[in-house]
Amino acid sequence: MSANAPTALIADDEPLLRRALARQLNEAWPELDIVAQARNGREAVDRFEALQPDVCFLDVHMPGLDGIDAARAIGRRAQVVFVTAYDRYAVQAFEQGAIDYLVKPVEPARLADTVARVQARLRADTPMADLAPLLQHLARQHLRWLRASVGNDVRLIAVEDIDYLRSDEKYTRVAWRGEGGRGGEALVRTPLKDLLVQLDPTQFVQVHRAVVVNLRAVSHVVRGENETARLHLRSRTDVLPVSRRYLHHFRPG
């Protein structure tokens, strides 16, 4: 690899997708030196500061510091390409031309277009555009409604009416409150993991491998043994488990 070869960083919390994008980039842009891969936004920022790559491929949704926050931290010091599973971001914002984006799964032809645009910017030494207004807009994009099955009916459920979500293999069970605050259950044909990344992280947190809770629905927390706990809800008798990994959400401030 030439000492002047352009360098890149890839950040994605899914190892398989990280490695797949690296392989695709090796084919589409053999001169590109992928100097770092990161598992989350915090790692991405740390490795950017250490290595100063020319291009950063950032997954929009990552745990902790997400791709948008990481892009804010990187600022105008690199060409940023967002990678997302949700093309609504593209429709709403990315095509403003200031930055580029890739929708998962990444298609070779689309990646080739992105590579050509980034190469042109690097050749022209085009400074990165000011992303602040766009990133502020993207940060507000959270899921507001779910289309869910209730028996043979399809209901539109406001996200704010959800108490919690529980994984059910490839689907997700939704515990929500309907008219008069009555509790109900519905089924969404989307895995919990894919829903979680669309929810406002200040309102919904994962508390167990299979459970995501609306913090507004929590009444109190009872600590258990071995760094676990159980969540009691305001309007339901259901008690939700909290595993050690997620107990930090409920430690006293």
Side-chain angles (χ1 to χ4, degrees):
M1 192 72 64
S2 163
N4 296 321
T7 54
L9 173 151
I10 297 173
D12 195 311
D13 61 323
E14 291 286 349
L16 292 177
L17 296 179
R18 260 196 335 262
R19 291 195 286 270
L21 181 56
R23 283 196 301 273
Q24 288 179 286
L25 282 168
N26 284 334
E27 294 175 5
W29 193 354
E31 300 79 18
L32 184 68
D33 184 8
I34 300 172
V35 293
Q37 296 188 26
R39 297 171 297 179
N40 52 57
R42 174 54 58 197
E43 276 193 4
V45 173
D46 290 345
R47 294 183 183 183
F48 174 82
E49 296 296 346
L51 300 167
Q52 300 285 306
D54 301 303
V55 191
C56 295
F57 294 86
L58 304 176
D59 184 24
V60 171
H61 292 291
M62 293 185 284
L65 200 67
D66 63 20
I68 295 170
D69 291 330
R72 278 200 185 99
I74 292 169
R76 306 175 70 173
R77 295 177 290 167
Q79 301 292 330
V80 171
V81 177
F82 282 118
V83 186
T84 177
Y86 307 100
D87 59 3
R88 66 193 174 94
Y89 288 100
V91 173
Q92 293 175 352
F94 291 157
E95 287 185 337
Q96 293 182 11
I99 54 175
D100 210 335
Y101 70 94
L102 292 165
V103 177
K104 301 176 187 178
V106 177
E107 296 181 355
R110 183 67 181 80
L111 179 60
D113 290 343
T114 293
V115 165
R117 276 193 286 272
V118 174
Q119 287 174 331
R121 289 181 191 143
L122 291 177
R123 280 196 300 269
D125 198 21
T126 305
M128 190 66 190
D130 181 9
L131 299 183
L134 176 59
L135 296 178
Q136 187 175 0
H137 171 74
L138 290 173
R140 293 198 297 265
Q141 305 303 306
H142 298 296
L143 192 65
R144 298 176 58 194
W145 296 88
L146 279 183
R147 190 171 56 190
S149 300
V150 181
N152 292 325
D153 299 333
V154 175
R155 300 289 297 266
L156 281 177
I157 298 174
V159 164
E160 61 192 24
D161 289 339
I162 296 172
D163 287 331
Y164 67 89
L165 302 155
R166 187 186 292 274
S167 176
D168 186 354
E169 297 184 350
K170 295 181 180 178
Y171 304 143
T172 300
R173 294 203 171 274
V174 182
W176 63 294
R177 283 163 285 107
E179 294 81 2
R182 287 197 303 264
E185 249 194 37
L187 188 68
V188 179
R189 297 178 183 275
T190 303
L192 181 63
K193 178 176 180 297
D194 292 348
L195 283 177
L196 176 60
V197 297
Q198 301 177 66
L199 296 170
D200 182 351
T202 65
Q203 184 178 357
F204 287 86
V205 297
Q206 188 162 15
V207 296
H208 183 273
R209 177 180 54 82
V211 180
V212 168
V213 71
N214 183 347
L215 291 172
R216 293 172 183 163
V218 175
S219 165
H220 61 283
V221 184
V222 177
R223 298 290 295 270
E225 296 179 349
N226 299 319
E227 290 292 303
T228 62
R230 301 183 78 77
L231 290 183
H232 293 257
L233 305 179
R234 297 181 189 280
S235 305
R236 291 175 177 272
T237 57
D238 311 35
V239 178
L240 305 177
V242 182
S243 57
R244 179 186 304 181
R245 179 178 180 184
Y246 305 105
L247 193 59
H248 63 278
H249 293 304
F250 305 101
R251 290 198 173 101

